[in-house]
Amino acid sequence: MQYIILDTETDFDGWRTAARTLVLGHVQPTDVTWTVQGGEADLFAPPAPSPILEVNEGTFSVSGKFVDLAKSAILHRDPERFAILYRLLWRLRDNHDLIEVATDSDVGQVTAMARAVHRDEHKMHAFVRFREIGRERSAHYVAWFEPEHHIVELAAPFFAKRFADMPWSILTPDLCAHWDGHALSFTPGVSKSEAPGEDRLEETWRSYYASIFNPARLKVKAMQTEMPKKYWRNLPEASIIKPLIEDAERMTGAMIANAATDPHKPQRRPEAPMIRRPATNDLDALREEAAHCRACPLYKDATQTVFGEGPDNATIMLVGEQPGDKEDLAGHPFVGPAGQMLDRALAEAGVNREKVYVTNAVKHFKFVPRGKIRLHQKPATPEIKACRQWYEREVSAIQPELIVAMGATAAQSVFGKITPVGKTRGRLIDLPDGRKALVTVHPSYLLRLPDPEAKALEYQRFVEDLKIAAAMQRKASRAA
Ligand code: URA
């Protein structure tokens, strides 16, 4: 009997090396026991693995199809998978076409395992929910997930791409994946007690789910197949699924009664009244009040109001256009690609980002859905005007010395009228209330420039503009 001990549950290279040597050494599948270092079956293995056979001659090859299937199937949780794969490999030596025989029991088992692994990978992509640890610039996002198979390494690159600009960790009982904004790393699994509990992002997920829930399209069975109940315990939105289903009939009735709906328009959430509170300039109270803003229709499709952030005594206030897709989900301004570009330029210009208040002219994400993507739409003048009250009240609360308007929408809000960027950029302009304004381009404009040379040049101009802000910030901190 040959005892093979693999390094980890997902050690495909170790399995391949051992399997190849065993096949060339003519070792029958029934004469091999496969275990994983430290795994349960390892308890019954001999203290040392069998020495790998010395095989100096002979070659054989297998199809790419088998290799692809084996790479996936090896991530299945069935402890027999290594042996099944070896048995199939052994049989493929003399019959290359066997891999095409779907009715063969080994081929069928391996194919089913590979499929189950990919299904689990897709479920992980769909059902990981991050919770925020820390706030704002020191925020870290942590999720707890219980995969059915050993898929963490397989699924992690998806999250690195999707959430490239936020540091996150996905904790699982098998393995934990971490992203620091640059590289993925993995550490051993942990228990659920180490995962964070409720946070304010829960509410965001719930309102996001409620906003995309279409009662007229409700098919409970199909929904439960897509979102099996076993995942519910880790989904913040799970608590509202039952009430939404129960309310679906009434909501559908109301939609029909309201009639004349355009089927091509996204489903709207029912109108909720705007909560009016006594006017205040306290930033936290303002933020809370803005969370219920209904001054224009944009709140209906956006996930949440994305209010400004930063110290309430900031000398510099940066104004962007509106939150993008990432900001809408995260609830913070400038956390997406434009935010990364902005951070880099601020650092290069010598602006202390921690001391800057960052906000947007429009506080809800405006978009049109295109399949699964939400395409950014430029805010229209009525939306900019409706949202200006929040900008004005942020200015009153913070009393900044300098307001930097990034792009045309921000300039329109800051000056209260359409203001061309090209004619005004790069110099201090007096505002009627005695503050200074500085107009520059929006970082998204730089991201969109296709020509690398133009991009580099425009980026430098952007940094030069921000240096004006840096000088004012330095002067203010010397005076303080
Ligand atoms: N663009 C903006 O104008 N604001 C954001 O918060 C993000 C992208």
Side-chain angles (χ1 to χ4, degrees):
M1 180 63 72
Q2 293 283 322
Y3 285 94
I4 307 295
I5 302 183
L6 299 174
D7 286 347
T8 64
E9 295 282 356
T10 57
D11 183 10
F12 177 74
D13 290 339
W15 177 87
R16 179 158 60 180
T17 307
R20 188 183 164 73
T21 313
L22 292 166
V23 167
L24 291 174
H26 308 289
V27 180
Q28 297 272 347
T30 46
D31 290 338
V32 190
T33 297
W34 298 87
T35 55
V36 175
Q37 188 99 43
E40 259 174 54
D42 192 24
L43 294 175
F44 305 104
S50 311
I52 284 289
L53 302 162
E54 286 286 328
V55 179
N56 297 323
E57 53 190 61
T59 56
F60 78 102
S61 62
V62 284
S63 66
K65 183 169 175 182
F66 171 76
V67 176
D68 289 345
L69 270 179
K71 276 185 178 168
S72 300
I74 212 156
L75 307 180
H76 200 276
R77 208 173 279 277
D78 184 344
E80 289 301 310
R81 64 198 183 279
F82 307 115
I84 297 169
L85 281 169
Y86 181 58
R87 194 166 62 222
L88 180 56
L89 179 70
W90 174 262
R91 295 175 60 216
L92 281 168
R93 277 174 328 166
D94 304 320
N95 181 3
H96 273 203
D97 296 336
L98 178 65
I99 195 75
E100 305 300 338
V101 183
T103 50
D104 179 85
S105 89
D106 287 338
V107 174
Q109 255 183 299
V110 169
T111 308
M113 284 194 289
R115 278 211 194 107
V117 162
H118 288 298
R119 241 190 339 267
D120 198 29
E121 179 195 7
H122 293 308
K123 294 290 178 223
M124 182 164 172
H125 291 167
F127 297 138
V128 158
R129 298 286 181 266
F130 289 102
R131 290 165 165 92
E132 189 180 13
I133 309 277
R135 290 287 306 255
E136 299 182 11
R137 307 208 41 80
S138 62
H140 192 98
Y141 296 83
V142 180
W144 171 254
F145 190 74
E146 291 162 50
E148 220 167 290
H149 303 292
H150 300 288
I151 53 156
V152 176
E153 289 153 294
L154 180 70
F158 165 88
F159 295 99
K161 209 163 151 208
R162 177 75 180 81
F163 303 108
D165 47 338
M166 64 187 223
W168 53 256
S169 297
I170 302 174
L171 313 181
T172 88
D174 301 321
L175 190 70
C176 301
H178 311 274
W179 171 254
D180 61 4
H182 304 285
L184 273 171
S185 59
F186 297 91
T187 54
V190 294
S191 68
K192 187 170 183 186
S193 58
E194 294 182 48
E198 285 257 326
D199 80 338
R200 63 205 181 81
L201 285 189
E202 309 281 294
E203 201 38 57
T204 304
W205 272 112
R206 281 192 275 268
S207 47
Y208 178 63
Y209 187 78
S211 75
I212 59 167
F213 180 84
N214 183 348
R217 295 241 174 106
L218 178 64
K219 291 197 183 91
V220 176
K221 273 231 166 76
M223 183 177 149
Q224 284 183 353
T225 313
E226 271 307 300
M227 194 195 260
K229 277 204 163 159
K230 68 177 176 189
Y231 296 106
W232 288 25
R233 62 176 179 273
N234 295 319
L235 294 178
E237 66 267 36
S239 63
I240 60 165
I241 293 176
K242 202 161 163 260
L244 282 175
I245 291 175
E246 284 167 0
D247 203 31
E249 205 175 316
R250 187 195 60 74
M251 282 171 78
T252 312
M255 279 161 64
I256 293 166
N258 288 339
T261 52
D262 177 346
H264 299 295
K265 281 206 172 142
Q267 190 55 54
R268 292 274 155 94
R269 270 182 274 161
E271 295 261 345
M274 176 164 171
I275 299 170
R276 295 214 172 269
R277 293 187 171 79
T280 168
N281 283 334
D282 171 71
L283 257 191
D284 286 335
L286 271 186
R287 181 174 288 112
E288 169 57 21
E289 197 180 335
H292 306 281
C293 183
R294 305 283 183 263
C296 80
L298 293 185
Y299 78 92
K300 293 181 186 173
D301 294 325
T303 307
Q304 58 190 314
T305 306
V306 179
F307 206 68
E309 284 179 356
D312 60 8
N313 61 352
T315 308
I316 316 276
M317 178 164 167
L318 290 185
V319 186
E321 183 196 69
Q322 61 162 346
D325 180 67
K326 296 250 170 75
E327 288 81 9
D328 172 74
L329 291 175
H332 303 295
F334 284 102
V335 293
Q340 282 182 349
M341 171 78 86
L342 175 62
D343 285 357
R344 185 151 74 90
L346 286 172
E348 248 175 80
V351 176
N352 182 347
R353 168 79 152 91
E354 306 288 323
K355 295 197 169 157
V356 171
Y357 185 85
V358 181
T359 193
N360 282 300
V362 172
K363 309 261 189 296
H364 280 116
F365 179 34
K366 181 176 179 182
F367 63 94
V368 284
R370 283 278 177 280
K372 287 186 180 165
I373 294 173
R374 303 189 297 168
L375 270 190
H376 163 275
Q377 291 278 289
K378 197 171 155 45
T381 294
E383 292 145 1
I384 299 170
K385 280 188 176 163
C387 216
R388 194 161 188 263
Q389 54 164 324
W390 300 116
Y391 159 76
E392 284 171 350
R393 291 170 73 183
E394 284 174 301
V395 171
S396 304
I398 293 154
Q399 298 285 333
E401 285 179 30
L402 174 68
I403 300 170
V404 182
M406 298 185 293
T409 302
Q412 186 173 347
S413 188
V414 171
F415 293 97
K417 60 179 186 197
I418 291 174
T419 305
V421 174
K423 287 191 187 151
T424 47
R425 85 175 279 185
R427 59 190 159 83
L428 290 173
I429 301 171
D430 291 323
L431 287 170
D433 62 3
R435 284 172 232 291
K436 303 277 183 205
L438 172 69
V439 178
T440 185
V441 292
H442 191 283
S444 297
Y445 157 74
L446 304 173
L447 288 171
R448 284 194 305 267
L449 284 174
D451 175 39
E453 258 180 54
K455 197 177 214 151
L457 212 71
E458 277 302 315
Y459 174 77
Q460 260 330 305
R461 283 187 72 197
F462 183 50
V463 172
E464 289 308 312
D465 291 345
L466 293 176
K467 282 183 183 169
I468 299 171
M472 273 192 84
Q473 197 183 47
R474 278 194 301 273
K475 198 167 138 208
S477 66
R478 275 198 301 271

